[in-house]
Amino acid sequence: IENWNTGAEGELHTARALAPLRRAGYVLLHDLPDRQTNSRAVGNLDHVVVSRAGVFLLDSKNLGGEASIHGDTVHLQRRDIDDDSYDLSLLAKGMRGRAARLQEDIGAQTGVRFIQPVVVFWNPFPAGLVDGENITFLHGERLVAWLQQQPEQMPGSAVEEVARAITDARPCEHRSRLGTAASALLERLGRRAPTGSITGA
């Protein structure tokens, strides 16, 4: 339960940080289902950001320890306990896979060729920003500025079209793991469930 709560806190931190970007034309989508190769909904996508700079898949992490990046591996070191550490060796690979599946679902319709996976840390991450192999790791406090610095890749008129294709491809048929109160907050901060027209921008 504690792990679920800290994970939900990370997602809410990210949603709050992103919310002001709606005024600049960004579309914010939260808590969408993932799929596996057999098209079953398994797991979820924490956040998808659509802007003139493209499509970004964000995974929020609020982990117990200080994060560092070693190649494709996220290393977590517990404070003041040298022997109490662990690695997340499959996080980067999993994020790239989720981004690739989403691109496959919308690429033919929208022309989007790449979705940028981003891991957002809310626990200590001294490096602040690390670019890996087709993935970016950054601290949540740097997220908005980083998104704003990305070069434009598509016209503003395409942003709504791409966002609608994403919500059509990933209808929110599952019950949010965050709980009712957190889900309601996500809906206010952006858009969690794809009901009606896109209004997240």
Side-chain angles (χ1 to χ4, degrees), residues 112-184:
V112 171
R113 296 182 179 181
F114 177 69
I115 292 176
Q116 175 66 51
V118 182
V119 177
V120 182
F121 293 111
W122 290 101
N123 52 288
F125 181 43
L129 173 64
V130 174
D131 287 317
E133 182 181 350
N134 291 329
I135 190 168
T136 296
F137 303 89
L138 53 76
H139 193 273
E141 292 180 353
R142 301 183 65 166
L143 174 60
V144 170
W146 181 83
L147 286 169
Q148 293 172 327
Q149 292 166 2
Q150 301 310 300
E152 292 188 4
Q153 298 185 19
M154 61 183 177
S157 59
V159 172
E160 290 273 341
E161 176 187 347
V162 171
R164 185 169 291 107
I166 292 171
T167 57
D168 286 346
R170 301 298 177 87
C172 193
E173 298 172 347
H174 71 305
R175 184 177 180 85
S176 173
R177 65 187 179 85
L178 300 179
T180 303
S183 296

Side-chain angles (χ1 to χ4, degrees), residues 1 17 20-21 34 36 38 67 73 76 80 82 86 92 94 114 117 129 133 135 144 159 165 172 185:
I1 294 174
L21 291 176
D34 188 16
Q36 298 298 325
N38 59 7
T73 299
L76 272 298
D80 303 323
D82 292 338
Y86 59 97
F114 177 69
L129 173 64
E133 182 181 350
I135 190 168
V144 170
V159 172
C172 193
L185 179 57

